[in-house]
Amino acid sequence: DKPFSEKLALMSSIQYMMSPCLNDDGTFTITFGGYQNGVHTGKTTCSCSSIKKLKQPFSVSPTYCGCCAGHFLYHYQNALGVKLKLKEINSSPLNTNGEKPCKFTFKVLD
């Protein structure tokens, strides 16, 4: 029975759900990075087990990160009780040499 903005803010209190940021256009962005075995490392590394197996250095299209974004979309959709769509893969450590974290923007569908 809470407004969407309040529900979204409460997501920060759920482990591994990051801290979503509500944008002016009604979308929201989550930033994910630096977790290894449940501990925040401060590094911007990819948490995908398939990627971790690749020999360094390598380059991967950010499109691959849609899989991770889909994981968050699923959990946010269920927790918030709304239909979501991935609007943008803003950044990824995969195509920024670890300079930027995973960052996804989602749109609420009517």
Side-chain angles (χ1 to χ4, degrees):
D1 297 341
K2 297 182 181 344
F4 179 76
S5 58
E6 193 174 334
K7 287 182 187 179
L8 192 63
L10 288 170
M11 293 298 289
S12 298
S13 65
I14 301 172
Q15 188 175 20
Y16 307 121
M17 293 307 285
M18 307 308 113
S19 296
C21 176
L22 186 59
N23 303 315
D24 291 339
D25 64 357
T27 63
F28 67 93
T29 302
I30 61 168
T31 303
F32 175 75
Y35 280 86
Q36 297 293 328
N37 300 321
V39 178
H40 190 271
T41 64
K43 297 178 185 176
T44 53
T45 58
C46 182
S47 61
C48 177
S49 60
S50 298
I51 292 294
K52 289 178 186 177
K53 294 176 187 175
L54 296 176
K55 185 179 177 181
Q56 301 284 337
F58 60 87
S59 179
V60 177
S61 166
T63 303
Y64 181 84
C65 301
C67 179
C68 183
H71 175 82
F72 280 103
L73 180 140
Y74 173 81
H75 290 292
Y76 269 80
Q77 212 168 232
N78 288 322
L80 297 171
V82 296
K83 284 287 195 184
L84 300 173
K85 179 179 180 178
L86 176 64
K87 181 179 178 189
E88 183 177 1
I89 298 169
N90 307 85
S91 65
S92 165
L94 296 180
N95 67 341
T96 63
N97 293 324
E99 302 261 335
K100 295 182 180 179
C102 299
K103 193 172 187 178
F104 309 117
T105 298
F106 297 97
K107 176 181 179 180
V108 177
L109 301 176
D110 296 324

